[in-house]
Amino acid sequence: MSDPRHTYTYRKLRAALRRRRLPCYICGQPIDYLATKGEPLSFTADHVLPVASHPDRALDPTNLRAAHHRCNTRRQDGPVKPDIGGASRPW
């Protein structure tokens, strides 16, 4: 079976997500929606449940989130590990 991410339906879902101009769901920072595809802070549509293990969720809009290219690449197929930053002072 071909990859569902190469379909018209997926492109429509991705475009609708992009139009919402949401921040990155992994790090919470703004996404540069004008950046060229592949740049670290550019937009990607990330599958919360990876397509490799959940192919039935590839075209599920509730499984797509806006993410930076960098954050999406680092996460790969693993769980989301938000960066909560450092301590405000030594405890």
Side-chain angles (χ1 to χ4, degrees), residues 8-23 31-34 43-45 61 64-67:
Y8 175 74
T9 302
Y10 178 74
R11 287 192 300 273
K12 280 183 60 174
L13 290 171
R14 187 178 180 280
L17 180 61
R18 184 184 185 96
R19 282 192 300 272
R20 295 181 62 197
R21 299 289 198 253
L22 298 169
I31 295 172
D32 183 356
Y33 284 92
L34 299 177
F43 165 80
T44 60
L64 289 177
R65 300 285 188 283

Side-chain angles (χ1 to χ4, degrees), residues 12 14 24 34 43 46 49 65 68 70 74 83 88:
K12 280 183 60 174
R14 187 178 180 280
C24 176
L34 299 177
F43 165 80
D46 187 24
L49 299 174
R65 300 285 188 283
H68 291 116
R70 171 186 60 200
R74 286 182 183 164
D83 180 7
S88 59

Side-chain angles (χ1 to χ4, degrees), residues 29-82:
Q29 296 301 309
I31 295 172
D32 183 356
Y33 284 92
L34 299 177
T36 304
K37 181 180 178 179
E39 290 184 22
L41 300 179
S42 66
F43 165 80
T44 60
D46 187 24
H47 288 86
V48 178
L49 299 174
V51 174
S53 57
H54 298 83
D56 56 314
R57 301 288 304 271
L59 299 177
D60 181 352
T62 64
N63 191 37
L64 289 177
R65 300 285 188 283
H68 291 116
H69 176 75
R70 171 186 60 200
C71 294
N72 192 354
T73 302
R74 286 182 183 164
R75 183 176 94 84
Q76 296 179 344
D77 287 344
V80 175
K81 297 177 187 169

